[in-house]
Amino acid sequence: MIWIAFGLAVAVTAFLMVGGTTTLRKSQAAVAVQNLLEAHPSVVMADFAPAKLANRLVGDAWDQRGQQFRAKDKPYPQKRSIAIIALADGLGSLRAEADAWNATFFALGFALTDIERNGHRYAFNGTDRYLLGVAQQVYLDEAARVEQRQDGVLGQPVL
């Protein structure tokens, strides 16, 4: 009986070391993205499922940035940073999906505001700070793009 328990513990440890950690980290980031998306007031009326969108955004970000998320020579980023960069990376692919884009843009802005206000409470490492900087620049670029579009439509600056 002891040998079976020992064998099971070794198998679980091997699973976590090989791919389980990645699965766990992706799941944690997807839950964080889903929570941020669900904070948007119009998500109730939206034509997308927040959980499905969250998994898609995190999966896409993992495909694009997987080496940054699991580099052996650098510290792992926090789930918060992975969630934020997943939102930022997703904005470009969501332009044709207005409800999803709006909720994602709102969620990214909300998350970045939280980091601005409470970042001192989080133990961010260099990888986190890099990803957050990229996400912040994406947010600013998208905000400028929206403002230019509104200027063109309305013919006057947005206040």
Side-chain angles (χ1 to χ4, degrees):
M1 192 60 130
I2 292 174
W3 290 107
I4 293 172
F6 178 73
L8 183 60
V10 169
V12 167
T13 302
F15 169 75
L16 288 174
M17 291 180 77
V18 172
T21 301
T22 297
T23 302
L24 176 64
R25 293 166 53 74
K26 284 170 89 171
S27 295
Q28 289 173 334
V31 168
V33 169
Q34 181 181 348
N35 290 339
L36 287 164
L37 290 170
E38 289 176 345
H40 191 274
S42 68
V43 81
V44 176
M45 305 287 285
D47 65 351
F48 67 91
K52 187 175 179 179
L53 179 58
N55 284 318
R56 178 177 135 196
L57 293 175
V58 170
D60 290 350
W62 213 276
D63 290 345
Q64 287 180 320
R65 299 178 180 276
Q67 292 303 320
Q68 292 173 325
F69 297 160
R70 60 180 180 270
K72 300 213 184 298
D73 61 333
K74 295 180 182 170
Y76 288 134
Q78 295 181 22
K79 67 181 176 186
R80 180 176 286 107
S81 302
I82 295 171
I84 290 171
I85 197 67
L87 290 166
D89 286 348
L91 284 174
S93 65
L94 293 173
R95 288 198 178 118
E97 303 171 52
D99 287 346
W101 189 93
N102 287 333
T104 302
F105 186 73
F106 173 84
L108 178 58
F110 182 79
L112 289 171
T113 299
D114 176 59
I115 298 301
E116 184 70 28
R117 291 181 180 158
N118 301 308
H120 63 281
R121 295 180 183 171
Y122 309 125
F124 290 128
N125 59 46
T127 305
D128 290 310
R129 286 188 291 278
Y130 170 76
L131 294 172
L132 293 171
V134 170
Q136 183 178 33
Q137 189 59 54
V138 167
Y139 183 80
L140 294 172
D141 291 347
E142 287 293 315
R145 187 185 67 77
V146 168
E147 187 173 342
Q148 286 175 348
R149 185 168 171 237
Q150 288 177 341
D151 285 349
V153 172
L154 301 175
Q156 54 188 319
V158 178
L159 300 178

